Amino acid sequence: FIRRLATDLPALRKSRHQQELLLAPQYNIFRVLPIERREAVLHSPMLAHLLDPTASHGQGCLFLRAFFQVAHMNARLPPPAEPLDASQWSVRKEVYIGNGSLDLLIECPMQKYVLVIENKIDAAEQHTQLSRYYRWLKEDRADYATQRLILLTRTGRASESSRKVPCVLMSYHRDIREILNETVDQVRAPRVKELVGQYQAILNNWAQEETNEELIGICFLAPRLYFGAP
């Protein structure tokens, strides 16, 4: 086997070099920069851009509609009325409200529909942060029929600081990946499709890393459970 491997290795290396030359399968602009885990630099702006039906991606309500569909199925978020009119929807990031900034604010005054998304990748929430955002929703959008606060994390975990604040739990691992999976093949613009694909690869890599960590933990723990702790 080793002799055969030694004989075949140069051809395998050449084949790999050709693949990298033509396809660059490991190339990802978000890793190159590197910003793949930076919430305020990458993830909030990226989501705000994709969900904004008037943004330069040119795909209209494609991503916003998929977001509402996935959030309704997975997190029981009430969906807005169809058809969605791009001109009626506003998607903004880092909206200052006097005692903090909302990561994402999605609203449609015509439908009296508003969502606040608090985006957390690695950091925990600040003290009373969700409480302040929930109070802002109730006071500044008091006449809106649908008001929801969404806590978006990698795994969909519950709030660590404001457990009594009503909020919808969503995750990158399930929900955002599902949105991208459902939309990437429908994107008509090649440049946008490539960007969405690279962002999708970042989230898939996260999920794979955590799966690997869980498997390592199971492999380490299993013998201890079977044979007993020393």
Side-chain angles (χ1 to χ4, degrees):
F1 170 78
I2 292 177
R3 284 198 300 269
R4 182 179 175 182
L5 179 61
T7 302
D8 294 344
L9 194 56
L12 292 172
R13 285 175 173 165
K14 183 176 180 180
S15 175
R16 178 180 177 182
H17 176 71
Q18 285 296 112
Q19 185 184 37
E20 290 177 349
L21 180 65
L22 297 174
L23 302 175
Q26 302 302 317
Y27 183 80
N28 190 298
I29 189 61
F30 304 120
R31 294 195 188 104
V32 171
L33 288 177
I35 55 173
E36 62 181 294
R37 297 188 78 93
R38 298 188 64 180
E39 169 192 308
V41 176
L42 171 58
H43 298 284
S44 290
M46 176 63 77
L47 290 179
H49 173 73
L50 293 178
L51 297 179
D52 183 355
T54 64
S56 60
H57 55 65
Q59 307 308 297
C61 294
L62 174 65
F63 302 106
L64 185 63
R65 180 175 289 107
F67 173 86
F68 287 133
Q69 291 171 347
V70 169
H72 175 61
M73 292 295 296
N74 293 349
R76 298 183 180 179
L77 181 75
E82 288 279 2
L84 299 182
D85 184 338
S87 65
Q88 295 179 1
W89 286 88
S90 168
V91 180
R92 293 180 287 159
K93 62 180 177 66
E94 296 299 325
V95 179
Y96 184 66
I97 58 171
N99 57 0
S101 294
L102 310 177
D103 286 337
L104 274 82
L105 177 63
I106 304 172
E107 59 183 333
C108 176
M110 293 291 292
Q111 292 199 36
K112 300 298 182 183
Y113 189 104
V114 61
L115 303 177
V116 168
I117 299 180
E118 176 57 24
N119 193 18
K120 291 296 180 188
I121 303 299
D122 293 319
E125 312 97 68
Q126 300 170 17
H127 183 59
T128 72
Q129 187 176 28
L130 294 182
S131 300
R132 286 183 277 117
Y133 297 167
Y134 184 74
R135 185 164 56 250
W136 179 87
L137 269 175
K138 292 301 179 181
E139 294 175 356
D140 282 65
R141 298 296 187 268
D143 62 329
Y144 277 49
T146 302
Q147 315 158 328
R148 291 293 188 277
L149 174 61
I150 297 174
L151 177 59
L152 175 61
T153 63
R154 284 186 296 125
T155 62
R157 63 168 175 78
S159 170
E160 298 172 349
S161 62
S162 305
R163 297 186 180 276
K164 295 183 180 180
V165 177
C167 61
V168 177
L169 302 179
M170 295 185 68
S171 75
Y172 280 92
H173 285 187
R174 181 181 68 171
D175 303 306
I176 303 304
R177 289 173 69 207
E178 189 173 331
I179 292 166
L180 299 179
N181 290 340
E182 291 185 2
T183 55
V184 66
D185 290 336
Q186 301 178 55
V187 175
R188 303 288 296 277
R191 283 197 285 186
V192 178
K193 184 187 289 286
E194 173 64 23
L195 185 70
V196 172
Q198 291 199 27
Y199 187 57
Q200 188 179 31
I202 290 293
L203 303 190
N204 288 341
N205 187 59
W206 283 2
Q208 186 60 52
E209 285 178 352
E210 297 209 358
T211 298
N212 292 343
E213 289 175 3
E214 290 176 2
L215 290 174
I216 292 171
I218 291 171
C219 291
F220 176 77
L221 184 61
R224 296 170 61 88
L225 293 175
Y226 184 80
F227 293 109

